[in-house]
Amino acid sequence: MVCQLRCIADVCLIPIGTGSPSVSNYVAQVENLIRKSNLKSTLHSAGTTIEGPWNEVMDLVGQAHELCHEMGVLRVQSDIRVGSRIDKKQTAADKVNIVEDLIKNMK
Amino acid sequence: MVCQLRCIADVCLIPIGTGSPSVSNYVAQVENLIRKSNLKSTLHSAGTTIEGPWNEVMDLVGQAHELCHEMGVLRVQSDIRVGSRIDKKQTAADKVNIVEDLIKNMK
Amino acid sequence: MVCQLRCIADVCLIPIGTGSPSVSNYVAQVENLIRKSNLKSTLHSAGTTIEGPWNEVMDLVGQAHELCHEMGVLRVQSDIRVGSRIDKKQTAADKVNIVEDLIKNMK
Amino acid sequence: MVCQLRCIADVCLIPIGTGSPSVSNYVAQVENLIRKSNLKSTLHSAGTTIEGPWNEVMDLVGQAHELCHEMGVLRVQSDIRVGSRIDKKQTAADKVNIVEDLIKNMK
């Protein structure tokens, strides 16, 4: 069986054992890979949010691990926050806009 | 391209909007689904650790989301900590044993 | 002993058992609390990034849980990605800028 | 204001830039620190679960970061899954037992 859901996944990838506390070079290569895919994504300081069909999103994260391994990283760890909902379609941008609108009305 | 890596993924699934703070019924159904799969898994208080090929593991987590939606949950959120390494094969049990052995030698 | 580190923490808070899949009302109240604090923060679709002394940041997240409980939420779960580094000072904005600059140079 | 909640926090700590993909030595030192505290904890393959007052738990995680920095690690990243609930007292062990009981009754 293959999961048919759409999802929004926020991914924070960490290369382990690289010898330097700076890992932005790896993160930039991963971000480049994600942007070249056909999935919508948004970069922020603690990760990248990717939107699309579950298996395409998760396969893309797996490709990001593979890319790091090809670059010589022996171990890669990711934290993925992934959500699916069936009551309505909602984009990552929608989620931010709803909260910002609610905050405006509080003032 | 399909990711060919093996991985260890630790999954914490949260049904959202269920009307009750107790979600163990959903977690038990998900755990049952995972145990019926052919992937090795270990339950702990903050999630379940699943070991296997990347796409099989991630598809299983997607199926867990689908199962919750079939049970009437409109929104599901998971936190996944997933690691891959290419320097050696290591199981989830190995990871605990190495740390326990090191702690014994500290005393 | 009290931890003296500075940190960057990315927080995704989920109210559990609210009866509705829409939790933006709670998230907006939490975001408002965070913005009223004296800590720098940035909202994105999968959480909020907070920068400052470790204990102030973590206490603020605890206050966010307390606020949700005061609003009637019986259970609250957060996922926190927190980093500390001692080789250099770096803001959340710096992290994004470095990656964007590297990607520009790839093209 | 100081958060007065109790919590259950599951912590996965990753030293960054260590030069080796094996980080069990750091993890063991951190686990040793946690066990010497007066907070209840449980080690599993993807982290350690710590139970207690919010600020004590979070300060302990901060001390774990400090310990790694003292051991020469320039950057440390943790993923913390933390939950609080006000409808009942529940330990980490309770959470596992409830799910295991429910699964038994499914068969």
Side-chain angles (χ1 to χ4, degrees):
Chain A
M1 196 178 98
V2 172
C3 173
Q4 302 294 330
L5 287 174
R6 286 187 69 79
C7 69
I8 301 181
D10 190 64
V11 184
C12 173
L13 178 150
I14 301 174
I16 299 179
T18 55
S20 162
S22 293
V23 294
S24 52
N25 199 44
Y26 300 103
V27 171
Q29 292 288 350
V30 164
E31 181 64 19
N32 197 43
L33 173 80
I34 292 168
R35 292 184 187 183
K36 282 180 178 167
S37 79
N38 61 343
L39 300 177
K40 179 151 177 44
S41 70
T42 319
L43 177 69
H44 59 87
S45 74
T48 301
T49 306
I50 310 171
E51 305 169 60
W54 182 284
N55 284 319
E56 288 183 35
V57 171
M58 292 306 177
D59 191 59
L60 184 57
V61 182
Q63 288 174 38
H65 275 236
E66 283 184 333
L67 176 63
C68 289
H69 290 313
E70 284 163 17
M71 292 170 76
V73 182
L74 297 176
R75 187 176 189 178
V76 181
Q77 182 82 15
S78 286
D79 182 57
I80 308 173
R81 294 171 185 158
V82 57
S84 63
R85 63 190 299 177
I86 57 171
D87 60 324
K88 64 173 176 180
K89 290 201 177 182
Q90 193 181 43
T91 66
D94 291 338
K95 289 172 70 177
V96 173
N97 292 339
I98 290 168
V99 172
E100 289 290 4
D101 284 349
L102 286 167
I103 291 174
K104 262 177 220 153
N105 292 330
M106 284 179 202
K107 285 166 191 170
Chain B
M1 197 178 97
V2 172
C3 172
Q4 303 294 331
L5 286 175
R6 287 188 68 80
C7 70
I8 300 181
D10 190 63
V11 184
C12 172
L13 178 150
I14 301 174
I16 299 180
T18 52
S20 162
S22 293
V23 295
S24 52
N25 199 44
Y26 300 103
V27 172
Q29 292 288 349
V30 164
E31 182 63 20
N32 197 42
L33 174 81
I34 292 167
R35 291 185 187 183
K36 281 179 177 166
S37 78
N38 60 343
L39 299 177
K40 179 151 177 45
S41 70
T42 319
L43 176 70
H44 59 87
S45 74
T48 301
T49 307
I50 309 171
E51 305 169 59
W54 183 283
N55 284 319
E56 289 183 34
V57 170
M58 291 305 177
D59 191 59
L60 184 57
V61 182
Q63 288 175 37
H65 275 236
E66 283 184 333
L67 176 63
C68 290
H69 289 314
E70 285 163 15
M71 292 171 75
V73 182
L74 297 176
R75 188 177 189 178
V76 181
Q77 182 82 15
S78 287
D79 181 58
I80 309 172
R81 294 172 185 157
V82 56
S84 62
R85 61 190 302 176
I86 57 171
D87 59 325
K88 65 172 174 179
K89 291 202 177 181
Q90 192 180 45
T91 66
D94 290 339
K95 289 171 70 178
V96 173
N97 292 339
I98 290 168
V99 172
E100 290 290 5
D101 284 350
L102 285 168
I103 290 174
K104 261 178 220 154
N105 293 330
M106 285 179 200
K107 286 166 190 172
Chain C
M1 196 178 98
V2 173
C3 172
Q4 303 294 331
L5 286 175
R6 287 187 69 78
C7 69
I8 301 181
D10 189 62
V11 184
C12 172
L13 178 149
I14 301 174
I16 299 179
T18 54
S20 162
S22 293
V23 295
S24 51
N25 200 44
Y26 301 103
V27 171
Q29 293 288 349
V30 164
E31 182 64 18
N32 197 41
L33 173 82
I34 292 168
R35 291 184 187 182
K36 282 179 177 166
S37 78
N38 62 342
L39 299 177
K40 178 150 178 45
S41 70
T42 319
L43 177 69
H44 59 87
S45 75
T48 301
T49 306
I50 310 170
E51 304 170 60
W54 182 283
N55 284 319
E56 289 184 35
V57 171
M58 292 305 177
D59 191 59
L60 184 56
V61 182
Q63 288 175 39
H65 276 235
E66 283 184 332
L67 176 62
C68 289
H69 290 313
E70 284 163 16
M71 292 171 77
V73 182
L74 297 176
R75 188 175 188 179
V76 182
Q77 183 82 14
S78 287
D79 182 58
I80 309 172
R81 294 171 186 159
V82 57
S84 62
R85 62 191 299 176
I86 56 172
D87 59 325
K88 64 172 174 179
K89 291 202 176 181
Q90 192 181 44
T91 67
D94 291 338
K95 289 171 71 178
V96 173
N97 293 338
I98 290 168
V99 173
E100 290 290 4
D101 285 349
L102 285 168
I103 291 175
K104 260 177 222 154
N105 293 331
M106 284 179 202
K107 287 167 190 171
Chain D
M1 197 178 96
V2 173
C3 172
Q4 302 294 331
L5 286 175
R6 287 187 68 79
C7 69
I8 301 182
D10 190 63
V11 184
C12 172
L13 179 150
I14 301 173
I16 299 180
T18 51
S20 162
S22 294
V23 294
S24 52
N25 198 44
Y26 300 103
V27 172
Q29 292 288 348
V30 164
E31 181 64 20
N32 196 42
L33 174 81
I34 292 169
R35 292 185 186 181
K36 281 180 177 165
S37 79
N38 60 342
L39 300 176
K40 178 150 178 46
S41 70
T42 319
L43 177 69
H44 59 89
S45 74
T48 301
T49 307
I50 309 171
E51 305 169 60
W54 183 283
N55 283 318
E56 288 183 36
V57 170
M58 292 305 178
D59 191 59
L60 184 56
V61 181
Q63 287 175 39
H65 276 235
E66 283 184 332
L67 176 63
C68 289
H69 290 313
E70 284 163 17
M71 292 170 75
V73 182
L74 297 177
R75 187 177 189 179
V76 182
Q77 182 82 15
S78 286
D79 182 57
I80 309 173
R81 295 172 185 157
V82 57
S84 62
R85 62 191 300 177
I86 57 172
D87 60 325
K88 65 173 175 179
K89 291 204 175 179
Q90 192 181 44
T91 66
D94 291 338
K95 289 172 70 177
V96 173
N97 292 338
I98 290 168
V99 173
E100 290 290 5
D101 285 348
L102 285 168
I103 291 175
K104 262 177 220 155
N105 293 330
M106 284 178 202
K107 287 167 190 171

